[in-house]
Amino acid sequence: MTSPVRLASQEQEQPAGKAPLPQAEIIPYPGTHPAAAEVKKGIDLSPLLGGLRNAALAVLPTLLMVAALLMVWEMACSGEGSSLPAPSKVWTDSKEVILHPLKGVEMDGIGFKIQDGGDVGIAGHVLTSLKRVALGFTLSAIFGIALGILIGQSQFAYRALDPLFQILRTVPPLAWLPLSLAIFQQAQPSAIFLIFITAIWPVILNTAAGVQNIPMTYRNVAKVLSLNPFEYFTKVMLPATVPHMFTGLRIGIGMSWLAIVAAEMVQGGTGIGFFIWDSYNSSLLTDTIVALVWIGIIGFALDRIVGWIGRRIARQA
C-alpha cells in the first residue's frame, strides 16, 4: 500500500521563466512508526489457570474422602480401650518416624548407602525394597515379554507352555520362598527371585494375548509388503501389543511390591517388610500404620509411573 503523502511547496532553483515544481514530503502511514509497533501484550494466564483448575478438580475429591476417613477413624478410635490407635496418637507416637524418614541414609552419588549398625529411617527401608523390586521386575519384564511373544506367535509353543504357566502362576509368592532360600542360600538373591517369579506371569500372559489379537489385516499387509521379522516386530507387532504389554507390566509391578513386603517380613534384615514386622514385635503399632501408608503411596506411584511410560511408548510406536 502506498503511504499517503502531503504536498509541500518548497522553493528550488528552476530554469528561468518556469514556475517552481511542488515536492512530495513522505508522511509515515499511521501505525507504521517504530514507536507504534511496540505494542505491549499482556501475558495469557488462561492455560495455566485451566491446568490448575483441572488438577484441583482431580485431587479435591480424594482429599475430601481422606479427610472424611480420618475424621471417622479419629472418632471411632479416640476412646479409651481402643485396640487401634487414632490418627492423633499415630502422629504423637510416631512423629520421629514421620518427620525424619531419611535418618541413617547417606547419598552416594546417584545411589544411596544405609549406615551400618545404626537406626535407619523408614525411607531407608523403602529404598532398599525398591532396589530389590527394580532388579526383580526388570528381569521379569525382559523374560516375560520375550516368552509372551514366543507363545503368542507360535501355536506349538502356546500349547506346550500355556498349561504350565497357568499352573505356576497360581502358586502363592511366599510358597516360593523356601525353595529360593534353598537354591540361593542368601536373602538378597532369594528376594529378587521371589519378585521375578511373582511378576513374570501377568507379563507373559498379557503380552501373548496382545500378539494373538493382532488383526489379520495387519498381518496380511505385512505379507504383501514383504516385511522382514525385524520390520514386522517394530512396525506391526510392537504398536499393536504395547497396550497389552503394559497392562501386564502394571499388574506385575503391583505384585512385585506385594511380594517383596511379604518376603522381607519373613526374611528379616532390611526393607519395608522387615520394618513392619520389627515394629509389630516391638509393640509399635503406630509405626506399623505409618509404614502401611508408605507402602500404599509407593505402590500407587509405581503403578502410575509404569502406566505413564506405557502411554508415551504407545503414542510413539
Side-chain angles (χ1 to χ4, degrees):
M1 180 182 293
T2 305
S3 300
V5 298
R6 183 177 61 193
L7 299 180
S9 298
Q10 295 183 353
E11 295 292 336
Q12 293 185 352
E13 294 183 0
Q14 300 291 338
K18 291 187 179 181
L21 297 175
Q23 189 176 29
E25 180 182 356
I26 299 176
I27 304 298
Y29 189 79
T32 61
H33 193 274
E38 297 178 358
V39 180
K40 295 183 179 180
K41 296 182 179 180
I43 300 176
D44 187 10
L45 297 178
S46 56
L48 177 61
L49 296 177
L52 293 176
R53 179 176 177 274
N54 293 334
L57 291 176
V59 175
L60 186 59
T62 302
L63 294 179
L64 292 176
M65 180 58 66
V66 170
L69 291 175
L70 289 175
M71 291 177 60
V72 173
W73 180 10
E74 180 70 28
M75 290 185 294
C77 300
S78 58
E80 295 182 1
S82 176
S83 58
L84 183 67
S88 57
K89 183 173 177 58
V90 173
W91 169 256
T92 302
D93 295 352
S94 299
K95 185 184 297 185
E96 182 72 15
V97 176
I98 297 172
L99 297 180
H100 301 91
L102 291 173
K103 182 172 62 175
V105 179
E106 296 179 353
M107 303 308 296
D108 183 14
I110 59 175
F112 63 92
K113 180 180 179 181
I114 306 297
Q115 293 180 357
D116 296 330
D119 189 14
V120 179
I122 190 171
H125 292 284
V126 169
L127 290 172
T128 301
S129 298
L130 285 174
K131 184 178 180 180
R132 293 167 178 163
V133 168
L135 292 173
F137 179 71
T138 300
L139 292 174
S140 68
I142 294 172
F143 287 95
I145 291 174
L147 288 172
I149 292 174
L150 173 64
I151 67 174
Q153 279 288 97
S154 171
Q155 282 294 328
F156 176 79
Y158 178 80
R159 292 171 182 171
L161 296 176
D162 183 68
L164 181 62
F165 292 161
Q166 295 294 344
I167 293 173
L168 293 176
R169 76 181 184 89
T170 60
V171 178
L174 286 181
W176 293 99
L177 187 57
L179 184 62
S180 64
L181 287 173
I183 295 173
F184 298 103
Q185 302 292 324
Q186 294 181 5
Q188 180 79 352
S190 299
I192 295 173
F193 171 78
L194 191 67
I195 295 168
F196 168 80
I197 204 68
T198 302
I200 193 172
W201 310 120
V203 179
I204 292 175
L205 298 178
N206 280 274
T207 302
V211 174
Q212 292 171 345
N213 290 327
I214 295 176
M216 187 56 64
T217 305
Y218 294 179
R219 299 178 186 269
N220 293 334
V221 170
K223 292 179 181 179
V224 170
L225 296 177
S226 300
L227 299 181
N228 59 46
F230 179 76
E231 291 175 334
Y232 176 76
F233 175 76
T234 57
K235 297 181 179 180
V236 177
M237 183 184 296
L238 186 61
T241 57
V242 160
H244 292 82
M245 286 181 187
F246 275 88
T247 298
L249 290 173
R250 290 183 69 175
I251 298 173
I253 193 65
M255 296 180 67
S256 299
W257 190 234
L258 294 175
I260 191 59
V261 172
E264 290 170 347
M265 291 178 68
V266 177
Q267 290 180 344
T270 57
I272 189 64
F274 167 76
F275 180 88
I276 291 176
W277 191 246
D278 185 61
S279 300
Y280 172 76
N281 290 330
S282 303
S283 299
L284 299 174
L285 193 57
T286 56
D287 287 359
T288 302
I289 293 174
V290 174
L292 293 177
V293 174
W294 271 80
I295 290 172
I297 294 174
I298 296 298
F300 175 80
L302 291 174
D303 177 78
R304 288 297 183 267
I305 290 171
V306 174
W308 177 80
I309 295 173
R311 289 190 296 271
R312 292 292 298 271
I313 294 178
R315 285 197 296 265
Q316 296 176 2

